[in-house]
Amino acid sequence: MAAAHTVPHTRILFGLIGGAALGCLANALVSKGVVPAGPVDWAVKYLARPVGAVFLNLLFLPILPLVFASLALGVTRLGGTNNVGRIGAKTVLYFLITTALAAAIGLTLVNLIEPGAAARDLRDGLMAEYGKEAEEKLATAKKKEFGVQTFVNIVPANPLVAFVEKDMLAIVFTGLLVGFALTRIDPARAAPLVAVLEGVNQVTEVVVRWAMALAPYAVFALLFSTTAKLGYTLLFSLGAFVLTVLGGLALHQFVVLPLLVKFLGGMAPGEFFAKARGTMLTAFSTSSSSATLPTAIRCAEEDLNVPREVSNFVLPLSASMNHNGTALFESVTVLFLAQAFGVQLNLEQQLVALVLCILTASGMAGVPGGSLPLIGLILVQFNVPAGGIALVIGVDRLLDMCRTTVNVTADLTTAVFVARSERRHTPAGGAKS
């Protein structure tokens, strides 16, 4: 089974490298006047972006039914409220601890490095370049009030509306509710619906397999369209900010999570990363925890030996709520923009910002760029212009890929931890079929 996974992941890696290299080359040739901008813009608009968008749409197509069916089945297989309550409490507690650690790392680094001071000279130019896009993202965020109403909306009056609006937390709640109900009725009556849910899971697996067959070409297109527009010059301009975020993500990915895997999950970090590398690569290429969910479930069951009932419960919940990398990115970005606009935040305000970053990261949709509008909502709490997110939009795609990788890695560590704590690990290879 492992050998079968190696070839696609290698091809995806070649697609990543090839797309990024060709995009940077195209950007450099256009900026130096060697090649006219027209052909490159045409290739990005009519070839690269559509191919990438079709790939992402194909990945997102089965996600909502997969989350609903997996959670309902996970609760059913766990066998009732006692098991679910215990496992759910462990899962959510792990979410909160790891997300808080990530956000704290971000706040610490941004206070030490102060990347916002270096960006003050770039502020006006970046606002002019990306201000309109920032306004569009903020307009989307204002449609969804964050606060008490967010928690009220978790219980949907109409589940179909939740599916149409892609309200992931409401879908999670509905899936859990259906799972609990199935454990309370006669097993003979529950069996047909359980069979339907299992069929939904199998159909989504086939669709995702088809989508992943396109992954090397789509990833090439996604990276080309991003780097052809961005190049490497903006990375240098915002270098201190980018390095602060990447440094924090690396610290969490390669220090904090391995320690948790070793001491809480009972697995050697080297073994964990070797088995999870394909899933991490998928997360990096799609910039979406939700789109990576089917791959993560397969990896947990087949490679990390997490039983199906645990993976079906923990991982959909993780993809919806456990966003370590996003919390770190939000904490760095909020303080970075405060520094760039000359707003000094004291310790108490920074702690408030940390809590807001944890809450918004836990409630955001696992889609590309989903955190930027939420950062705008946090900024206004501290009298920092919400439109300041324009300063980071240009480099967000790269950072989104990196933080999504951390998000998904944390999801897998959660599944390993819960399985071990419940003594549900199967023998090596026992989960495979």
Side-chain angles (χ1 to χ4, degrees), residues 334-352:
V334 168
L335 260 70
F336 163 75
L337 294 176
Q339 293 170 358
F341 283 90
V343 178
Q344 296 295 321
L345 301 184
N346 58 34
L347 180 60
E348 181 180 345
Q349 290 173 313
Q350 291 190 30
L351 291 176
V352 171

Side-chain angles (χ1 to χ4, degrees), residues 55-74:
F55 169 68
L56 291 177
N57 287 346
L58 193 57
L59 276 178
F60 281 121
L61 186 151
I63 296 306
L64 298 183
L66 174 64
V67 169
F68 173 81
S70 294
L71 281 172
L73 286 171

Side-chain angles (χ1 to χ4, degrees), residues 6 8 10 131 139 147 191 194 203 239 249 258 302 314 345 395 421:
T6 303
T10 304
V194 170
V203 168
L249 293 174
E302 297 182 0
V314 171
L345 301 184
V395 294
S421 69

Side-chain angles (χ1 to χ4, degrees), residues 37 64 135 150 170 205 233 251 292 305 354-355 403 407 432:
L64 298 183
E135 290 176 6
T150 303
E205 287 176 7
T233 54
L251 186 61
T292 312
N305 303 316
L354 183 144
V355 172
R403 64 182 181 261
N407 290 343
K432 298 181 182 182

Side-chain angles (χ1 to χ4, degrees), residues 55-141:
F55 169 68
L56 291 177
N57 287 346
L58 193 57
L59 276 178
F60 281 121
L61 186 151
I63 296 306
L64 298 183
L66 174 64
V67 169
F68 173 81
S70 294
L71 281 172
L73 286 171
V75 171
T76 305
R77 288 167 177 157
L78 287 171
T81 55
N82 289 337
N83 286 337
V84 172
R86 184 179 64 254
I87 291 176
K90 291 178 182 178
T91 302
V92 172
L93 182 61
Y94 189 91
F95 290 173
L96 292 175
I97 291 174
T98 56
T99 305
L101 285 171
I105 289 172
L107 286 179
T108 302
L109 289 180
V110 80
N111 277 295
L112 291 174
I113 299 172
E114 295 190 357
R120 287 171 189 162
D121 295 337
L122 306 168
R123 187 174 65 201
D124 294 339
L126 290 171
M127 288 289 288
E129 177 73 18
Y130 296 103
K132 184 178 180 181
E133 187 176 346
E135 290 176 6
E136 292 173 354
K137 289 183 178 291
L138 291 172
T140 302

